[in-house]
Amino acid sequence: GDSVTQMEGPVTLSEEAFLTINCTYTATGYPSLFWYVQYPGEGLQLLLKATKADDKGSNKGFEATYRKETTSFHLEKGSVQVSDSAVYFCALSEGYKLSFGAGTTVTVRA
Amino acid sequence: SQTIHQWPATLVQPVGSPLSLECTVEGTSNPNLYWYRQAAGRGLQLLFYSVGIGQISSEVPQNLSASRPQDRQFILSSKKLLLSDSGFYLCAWSVLGGFYEQYFGPGTRLTVT
């Protein structure tokens, strides 16, 4: 079946550093791709999405581009803040369901 | 706007006791509904999903069951809890016929002692 692989964490950064979280996928069709963020003790929030090849999703300074040729959807942010500390999940749609990556824990230090 | 509620927020239950977690969605009709479990430090495991009233699909055979008695209500149950049922339970919904992005509730932290 379809699946998502994302880089393992944890990732620790200093404030204002550049963040990249790699995500690659395997799919037989043309799924939609998503990034979710989970703050401690909370549910997941949809961060951004892309529904077709070459789409760029963006939100709150985060960006990710749907790359069909490399089957990737890497998450980037140019200057992270302490408030970006969270767990980030890459996901793809599979019919009614989403397949999630294992999650990457990001800690930003002041 | 749409909102999703889950309760209780936290629950501590002894082994062998029953369980009932409730999820309700407001502001949308005919949503797809989902139950996930997240064990400590791990990713999400899809437990059940529903595309309509009374329609439940189980992803993983286990000690839990789900029901959808109303369009926007989804209930997760167990007759006898196991220690391994401890975890963070998340309910989610998606729009029927959309791109299937899911929107999550705040979660229920269940500890089985």
Side-chain angles (χ1 to χ4, degrees), chain A residues 68-88:
Chain A
K68 185 170 178 291
E69 62 277 11
T70 55
T71 62
S72 65
F73 192 55
H74 305 322
L75 183 68
E76 297 180 337
K77 186 174 184 182
S79 179
V80 294
Q81 305 300 314
V82 172
S83 57
D84 294 323
S85 298
V87 181
Y88 293 82

Side-chain angles (χ1 to χ4, degrees), chain B residues 8 10 14 17 25 32 40-41 48 50 52 68 82 91-92 104:
Chain B
T10 60
S17 63
V25 181
N32 299 320
F48 302 95
S50 170
R68 184 171 178 174
L82 307 173
C91 181
F104 286 78

Side-chain angles (χ1 to χ4, degrees), chain A:
Chain A
D2 297 355
S3 65
V4 172
T5 302
Q6 62 181 101
M7 64 184 284
E8 293 186 19
V11 174
T12 302
L13 302 165
S14 298
E15 227 173 4
E16 299 183 3
F18 185 86
L19 171 67
T20 299
I21 304 176
N22 290 338
C23 172
T24 57
Y25 67 90
T26 303
T28 53
Y30 301 96
S32 295
L33 300 173
F34 310 92
W35 277 101
Y36 284 83
V37 59
Q38 184 179 32
Y39 299 102
E42 299 183 6
L44 277 70
Q45 298 177 25
L46 178 63
L47 183 58
L48 52 83
K49 69 179 182 184
T51 59
K52 61 183 186 299
D54 299 325
D55 264 4
K56 177 186 281 188
S58 61
N59 186 26
K60 299 181 180 180
F62 290 90
E63 293 183 341
T65 301
Y66 191 161
R67 302 284 189 199
K68 185 170 178 291
E69 62 277 11
T70 55
T71 62
S72 65
F73 192 55
H74 305 322
L75 183 68
E76 297 180 337
K77 186 174 184 182
S79 179
V80 294
Q81 305 300 314
V82 172
S83 57
D84 294 323
S85 298
V87 181
Y88 293 82
F89 292 93
C90 185
L92 62 77
S93 62
E94 188 178 13
Y96 295 122
K97 301 181 287 185
L98 294 181
S99 290
F100 286 90
T104 301
T105 300
V106 174
T107 301
V108 180
R109 294 182 174 171

